[in-house]
Amino acid sequence: MSTKSRMNIALARVFWRIFVPTGTTLLAVRFLLPSPSAARLDNWAGAVARRLDTLDVPVAVFVFLATTWLVVYWRKYLPGGNVLEPQVQAAKPFKNLKLLAMTVAVVGVGLFVRTRVVESHQVVSTSMVPTLLPDDRILTDKSAFAPLLWPKSSAAPALPKRGEVVVFSAKGRTNEMNHLVKRVIGLPGDRISIHMGSISINDWKVPSCNAGSFVHAVSGQLIVGRIAVEFLGAETYLAIKVPEDSFATNYTVLPNEVFVMGDNRGFSEDSRVWVHTRVGGVPLDALEGRVRKLVLSRSQLLAPLGTDLPFTHVDLKALQSGLDTCLKQRPEVTLPPPVSPAA
């Protein structure tokens, strides 16, 4: 057999055994499964969506293995499928102990990765606009706040950093979704207050630069406010501010909790309104992971969270000019002072 023939056989096998099952899995997860936004509905689609929010990896593994088996089963009718002939007997599902062991191993590794290493979530609301849009799929680092190889409850939860985007359990906060995504603003002991959209931590005002007005419909919701660039800790991010966002009384974040807010300040249910419509934090042991990347959005693939405006079909030249100016003005001090002992 010539080198060219061996290369063609190898390419055909890679295409049918890797690219086709992987592509089918991605398409099924993206377009055929009910969207998490359907979880808000009180019907079968809502029930399925809420369940799949916790079973996305097993479903993806099942679709991948099923597609692989179907490709081998129908190999005679596929272009180049004859190269799969030597694997026919071994490819019959659960007829071979080796195949069964490989299936169990794949499922086990997939579950371990999902629960301990990394997990994807789909954004379902406008609470994190403009950083995240509805239907964006994000990648969550599960090892950020919990041990990798032993039970989460056996060690004290790690503390996130101010300005980070986190995913956490929504239990007790909403009946519509299993998880929520917000930005960490305050850590245990911090005193938080908000006046006319400006956040203060321990009587220190979070640096912010006004980039311009914003009026845009996102997923059928008209969002009106002003785009601001905020600098908190190591993070630089965009927020949509509204002047009505205020509470004058200092709220002291409780031990083992963090204070979180959505970037779309006028359309986010967060620490400002929780605990029976009063301010309240998120327990550290409810944190699921840190969000660093977008897996899939309307215009990006595997992109880090940033300060780009993810909107199309709208003139953003004036606003972009304001953003460029603000981004050049990062202050030297972006962390609040520690809480004074007398506070």
Side-chain angles (χ1 to χ4, degrees):
M1 183 182 296
S2 66
T3 301
K4 183 177 180 180
S5 297
R6 287 196 295 268
M7 183 175 295
N8 289 337
I9 291 175
L11 290 175
R13 288 178 175 173
V14 168
F15 177 78
W16 286 113
R17 291 179 179 167
I18 297 179
F19 286 104
V20 170
T22 300
T24 302
T25 301
L26 292 175
L27 290 173
V29 172
R30 179 67 178 85
F31 296 107
L32 298 183
L33 299 182
S35 169
S37 58
R40 299 175 179 272
L41 303 177
D42 188 20
N43 54 21
W44 70 268
V48 171
R50 286 190 291 272
R51 187 59 180 166
L52 289 178
D53 188 47
T54 61
L55 296 175
D56 50 351
V57 169
V59 169
V61 170
F62 173 79
V63 173
F64 183 90
L65 293 176
T67 305
T68 302
W69 179 78
L70 287 173
V71 164
V72 174
Y73 186 82
W74 294 101
R75 65 194 179 281
K76 294 181 179 180
Y77 304 97
L78 302 175
N82 59 303
V83 301
L84 302 176
E85 182 72 31
Q87 303 294 329
V88 171
Q89 296 300 320
K92 290 184 178 180
F94 310 119
K95 296 293 185 180
N96 184 286
L97 184 60
K98 182 178 179 180
L99 178 61
L100 177 60
M102 289 178 60
T103 302
V104 172
V106 169
V107 173
V109 170
L111 290 174
F112 174 79
V113 169
R114 183 191 183 279
T115 58
R116 295 289 181 173
V117 183
V118 67
E119 182 179 4
S120 69
H121 294 279
Q122 193 165 3
V123 180
V124 301
S125 74
T126 61
S127 70
M128 284 297 292
V129 173
T131 305
L132 299 171
L133 299 180
D135 293 329
D136 280 354
R137 185 162 287 276
I138 54 179
L139 203 61
T140 306
D141 179 6
K142 303 277 286 189
S143 63
F145 309 126
L148 185 62
L149 298 177
W150 54 85
K152 183 177 179 180
S153 59
S154 65
L159 201 63
K161 297 178 181 178
R162 297 181 185 91
E164 289 183 333
V165 177
V166 297
V167 169
F168 54 93
S169 171
K171 185 178 181 180
R173 306 186 186 282
T174 174
N175 295 323
E176 296 175 344
M177 287 303 299
N178 296 317
H179 300 90
L180 294 173
V181 55
K182 306 291 179 185
R183 190 177 299 277
V184 175
I185 300 297
L187 301 182
D190 283 346
R191 298 193 312 274
I192 310 294
S193 64
I194 303 175
H195 179 66
M196 300 292 290
S198 296
I199 305 171
S200 292
I201 307 174
N202 303 333
D203 300 321
W204 171 83
K205 189 175 180 180
V206 175
S208 177
C209 177
N210 180 18
S213 60
F214 179 84
V215 180
H216 190 55
V218 180
S219 296
Q221 184 179 69
L222 182 63
I223 299 176
V224 180
R226 300 194 69 82
I227 292 279
V229 180
E230 289 187 346
F231 307 91
L232 183 57
E235 305 297 327
T236 300
Y237 56 90
L238 305 183
I240 301 178
K241 294 187 175 184
V242 291
E244 298 82 7
D245 183 17
S246 300
F247 63 86
T249 304
N250 281 336
Y251 173 77
T252 301
V253 184
L254 299 178
N256 298 316
E257 288 188 348
V258 291
F259 190 96
V260 300
M261 294 175 63
D263 289 346
N264 186 7
R265 303 289 164 74
F267 292 90
S268 174
E269 292 187 6
D270 46 43
S271 288
R272 295 169 294 173
V273 296
W274 287 334
V275 188
H276 305 296
T277 69
R278 300 185 309 182
V279 290
V282 175
L284 292 178
D285 58 9
L287 297 178
E288 295 287 342
R290 176 189 296 121
V291 179
R292 287 295 190 188
K293 287 185 179 293
L294 281 162
V295 178
L296 181 66
S297 73
R298 301 179 186 183
S299 59
Q300 301 180 84
L301 179 65
L302 290 177
L305 299 186
T307 56
D308 294 332
L309 291 170
F311 307 107
T312 57
H313 310 296
V314 59
D315 186 5
L316 298 172
K317 291 182 180 179
L319 186 56
Q320 188 61 55
S321 176
L323 287 176
D324 294 339
T325 300
C326 287
L327 291 172
K328 296 176 182 178
Q329 300 176 2
R330 181 176 176 84
E332 294 183 4
V333 179
T334 59
L335 285 173
V339 181
S340 61

